[in-house]
Amino acid sequence: MILEMKVPSPGESITEVEIATWLVKDGDYVEKDQAIAEVDSDKATLELPAEVSGIITLKAEEGDAVKVGQVVCLIDTDGAKPEGAAAPAAEKAPEAPKAEEKKEEPKKEEPKKEEPKAAPAPASYAAGTPSPAAKKILDEKNIDSSSVAGTGKGGRVTKDDAVNAVPSMGTPTGGNRGSERTKLSMLRRKVAERLVSAKNETAMLTTFNEVNMTPVNNVRNEYKDAFKAKHGGVGLGYMSFFTKAVVRALQLFPDVNSMMDGDYKVAFDFVDVSIAVSGPKGLMVPVVRNAEGLTFRGIEAEIKRLAIRARDGQITVDDMTGGTFTITNGGVFGSMLSTPIINPPQSGILGMHNIIERPIAVNGKVEIHPMMYVALSYDHRIIDGRESVGFLVAVKEGLENPVELLMDNNPKKALEL
């Protein structure tokens, strides 16, 4: 029996995915629930498991965009399972030359097909004139159409000519000048689209402040070893302190924990904190849900779980759905100061940065302390200056007085020691 395997729906809002990598080859025997492909959606990379055991026939190529519900492969359940681990290789070995022969035949013909396309058409009044679609692409690339050799009828510049056109890089003076053109993953394209949308569709402003990290460092230095030993290897990092400080500030300034929905403002009585992390497939923003009800241990454990899933490519759409406020930490890469971009439809994002010892005035004296610049980007359509500045000051206060404001004057109880 031949089973048609269709692309399952990764989430409610996703209608299309992209075949990132086939993990099996055409004609391989696959076991039920074996991962046969990695597919990119606009939110995450997911594995596609085989629905039954049998011989697989691929119906889509890597890089193809396929609709949810579209057939991407066939599995012949009557196909014989190879015996032993070495059997499949032995059985496929004599078939390999046949596959190569089949592949070699069209390869010999390909240059013949390409030759007439590569050769410029005879000059005519249309030579060098771009089609409307080609003109739009060339204008976006800031390339003069007269510098592009047209391969269309009469020398007309086609859309393909415009897509393949490369802006001049100046006169070569020697050395390696290679380049590579690769298609962005669906996830990266969606991230790019959302970032541009956030810049164009929100009244985004950024306000800054600085935080003396000495009090947080003192708490961490005193309790981090006991915390790690008590909680099964979960470390006491900075993120739990920042998340706690953000939760407190959002409760004091609830407008920052709201979003625009047309002509309405949607306010939330819970805090779902999105944590921006860098994964192998690009920027991902998993969500720590109901952070207002989590302890330091709960926050650290959840962030660690989500970070591992993102790093290993196992993050799911549900892990990244929702969120009412975002925290991003450019400091791990050495950033001193930045203006983070809002993660729509949220209205605010807090940017953390690197910690550098700097001289500051303390009670009329110059002292050196570990300092961090923090930035809040916010949507001015819904958040006024008073709320934005007050929110950031509240974050600063929580971090500079964590024992009183974040731990209720009982660090051991707050850290569950």
Side-chain angles (χ1 to χ4, degrees), residues 371-404:
M371 304 296 293
M372 176 192 287
Y373 289 117
V374 288
L376 172 71
S377 291
Y378 62 98
D379 189 347
H380 208 348
R381 295 178 303 166
I382 196 170
I383 303 171
D384 290 330
R386 185 184 75 85
E387 282 75 21
S388 62
V389 173
F391 170 87
L392 201 55
V393 169
V395 171
K396 171 185 171 71
E397 290 172 347
L399 294 170
E400 293 186 343
N401 191 4
V403 173
E404 179 182 347

Side-chain angles (χ1 to χ4, degrees), residues 163-179:
V163 169
N164 295 324
V166 179
S168 172
M169 301 299 290
T171 304
T173 57
N176 181 24
R177 297 177 63 80
S179 64

Side-chain angles (χ1 to χ4, degrees), residues 334-336 353-359 368-373:
S335 172
M336 183 187 77
H353 300 93
N354 61 356
I355 300 173
I356 296 179
E357 290 193 342
R358 290 191 286 112
I368 295 177
H369 286 272
M371 304 296 293
M372 176 192 287
Y373 289 117

Side-chain angles (χ1 to χ4, degrees), residues 138-355:
L138 291 174
D139 288 344
E140 290 174 351
K141 291 183 172 183
N142 198 25
I143 298 176
D144 188 350
S145 60
S146 62
S147 65
V148 181
T151 60
K153 187 175 180 180
R156 180 179 287 272
V157 178
T158 66
K159 181 180 178 181
D160 287 341
D161 295 332
V163 169
N164 295 324
V166 179
S168 172
M169 301 299 290
T171 304
T173 57
N176 181 24
R177 297 177 63 80
S179 64
E180 182 182 4
R181 182 185 176 91
T182 56
K183 186 177 181 180
L184 297 176
S185 69
M186 183 173 284
L187 176 62
R188 171 52 64 182
R189 296 199 302 272
K190 187 63 177 180
V191 168
E193 178 185 321
R194 286 168 62 85
L195 292 176
V196 172
S197 173
K199 293 284 286 185
N200 293 338
E201 298 177 10
T202 64
M204 191 171 74
L205 290 178
T206 305
T207 184
F208 303 93
N209 215 314
E210 62 179 356
V211 178
N212 183 349
M213 298 299 293
T214 298
V216 170
N217 285 348
N218 290 341
V219 174
R220 290 184 68 240
N221 291 337
E222 184 175 354
Y223 296 107
K224 64 181 180 181
D225 292 337
F227 185 90
K228 191 170 186 177
K230 177 70 180 291
H231 301 306
V234 176
L236 181 60
Y238 290 109
M239 286 306 301
S240 55
F241 287 90
F242 271 87
T243 303
K244 281 286 188 180
V246 162
V247 168
R248 173 180 175 272
L250 289 175
Q251 291 170 340
L252 294 173
F253 299 92
D255 279 353
V256 185
N257 193 45
S258 59
M259 350 181 139
M260 289 280 290
D261 183 13
D263 294 333
Y264 294 86
K265 178 181 79 171
V266 181
F268 302 96
D269 61 0
F270 58 88
V271 179
D272 284 356
V273 180
S274 303
I275 306 292
V277 297
S278 179
K281 295 289 184 177
L283 179 67
M284 295 184 179
V285 194
V287 181
V288 177
R289 305 195 189 281
N290 288 103
E292 77 281 0
L294 295 178
T295 61
F296 281 82
R297 178 193 59 79
I299 293 170
E300 292 289 356
E302 182 64 2
I303 291 175
K304 180 180 180 180
R305 182 186 73 85
L306 293 170
I308 291 174
R309 289 175 67 85
R311 183 194 65 200
D312 296 343
Q314 297 176 343
I315 203 82
T316 65
V317 173
D318 185 64
D319 289 330
M320 297 190 291
T321 300
T324 62
F325 186 86
T326 296
I327 300 176
T328 180
N329 185 6
V332 297
F333 304 112
S335 172
M336 183 187 77
L337 194 63
S338 66
T339 54
I341 298 178
I342 295 170
N343 179 24
Q346 297 173 16
S347 300
I349 178 171
L350 178 73
M352 300 167 56
H353 300 93
N354 61 356
I355 300 173

